[in-house]
Amino acid sequence: MMKSNYREIWATPIAEYYLDDITIHNELVNIINNTSWGGDDSMNLFKEPCRFSEWVLDCVKDYTSKFNYPLKSASIQRGWCVLQHPFYDTFIHTHYTADIAAVYYVDVIPEHPPLEVIDPRPAHNFNMVHRKLCDGVNVGSGFSSIQIPVATHKLILHPGYLHHGVSYNLTDKTRTVVAMNVMAKRDLSVKRFTC
């Protein structure tokens, strides 16, 4: 039984998983340290399967089962390491080419900014006054959003279309994460709903 937290916010499935095998975490750190990664998202960390990528795909299988999506297969299309240095932010974006967006927290502290997820419904309100009051505090200020706290060894899964970002790192410690694009193929032979 894997330690996890699943919830539906705005009818959007979001799940958090926690890696309890430190040896898998350490193998991931070795993969990151032994690549010619240049600080952008051009490097695919998982050209070959490893214990970490297999764990992520096990989490994807559990995640899709929560909202009745019979999974035929899943693969990590691309995975890359992101360093958020002090005073850097990660602008609001989507993983529009992915079915599922994933982020794993390699090295973070509680004071690092949370993952901020924007309400995907088109009728949500944008408030420019709130945006001006909060500018520089929350990356999604002015939008209806939620914040998901970060923690080392935590994996977050959500639909690739969901806008999300990270506000400024106001600590003196760099935060290290691995972001992934996951492709999920539904098993069409399994009926999702019965009448």
Side-chain angles (χ1 to χ4, degrees):
M1 179 67 81
M2 58 180 66
K3 183 182 175 189
S4 65
N5 176 35
Y6 175 82
R7 52 190 165 162
E8 293 189 7
I9 301 166
W10 317 305
T12 304
I14 298 176
E16 300 164 285
Y17 295 88
Y18 301 87
L19 180 61
D20 56 6
D21 188 337
I22 194 67
T23 64
I24 295 177
H25 176 87
N26 291 339
E27 287 173 14
L28 172 65
V29 171
N30 286 334
I31 291 171
I32 294 169
N33 291 337
N34 292 323
T35 61
S36 57
W37 175 68
D40 56 28
D41 64 358
S42 62
M43 174 63 70
N44 186 355
L45 292 173
F46 308 116
K47 292 179 181 176
E48 301 293 332
C50 63
R51 291 204 304 157
F52 176 78
S53 61
E54 290 171 356
W55 174 73
V56 169
L57 294 176
D58 283 344
C59 294
V60 167
K61 184 177 180 180
D62 180 75
Y63 169 67
T64 55
S65 72
K66 303 286 191 201
F67 53 92
N68 196 20
Y69 186 93
L71 192 65
K72 183 174 184 179
S73 64
S75 62
I76 298 175
Q77 180 185 36
R78 198 158 50 99
W80 62 98
C81 186
V82 180
L83 300 181
Q84 188 189 28
H85 299 292
F87 304 109
Y88 280 65
D89 69 339
T90 302
F91 58 89
I92 295 173
H93 64 285
T94 69
H95 294 225
Y96 64 91
T97 62
D99 297 317
I100 298 167
V103 60
Y104 176 75
Y105 296 94
V106 179
D107 187 13
V108 297
I109 59 175
E111 293 78 19
H112 278 148
L115 175 67
E116 197 157 349
V117 180
I118 308 299
D119 187 339
R121 298 171 299 175
H124 75 76
N125 293 321
F126 176 78
N127 186 323
M128 183 56 80
V129 172
H130 181 68
R131 173 78 195 180
K132 289 184 179 299
L133 289 173
C134 296
D135 199 28
V137 179
N138 298 323
V139 71
S141 60
F143 292 93
S144 173
S145 65
I146 62 156
Q147 296 181 343
I148 303 174
V150 300
T152 300
H153 305 141
K154 179 193 262 189
L155 172 74
I156 298 176
L157 301 175
H158 62 74
Y161 62 76
L162 206 59
H163 282 85
H164 58 285
V166 180
S167 191
Y168 294 99
N169 178 4
L170 299 179
T171 76
D172 60 359
K173 181 174 171 57
T174 297
R175 120 199 202 127
T176 306
V177 305
V178 168
M180 291 160 279
N181 288 344
V182 178
M183 304 308 291
K185 188 173 182 181
R186 185 163 71 88
D187 187 348
L188 298 175
S189 68
V190 178
K191 292 184 178 179
R192 293 180 66 188
F193 306 102
T194 58
C195 297

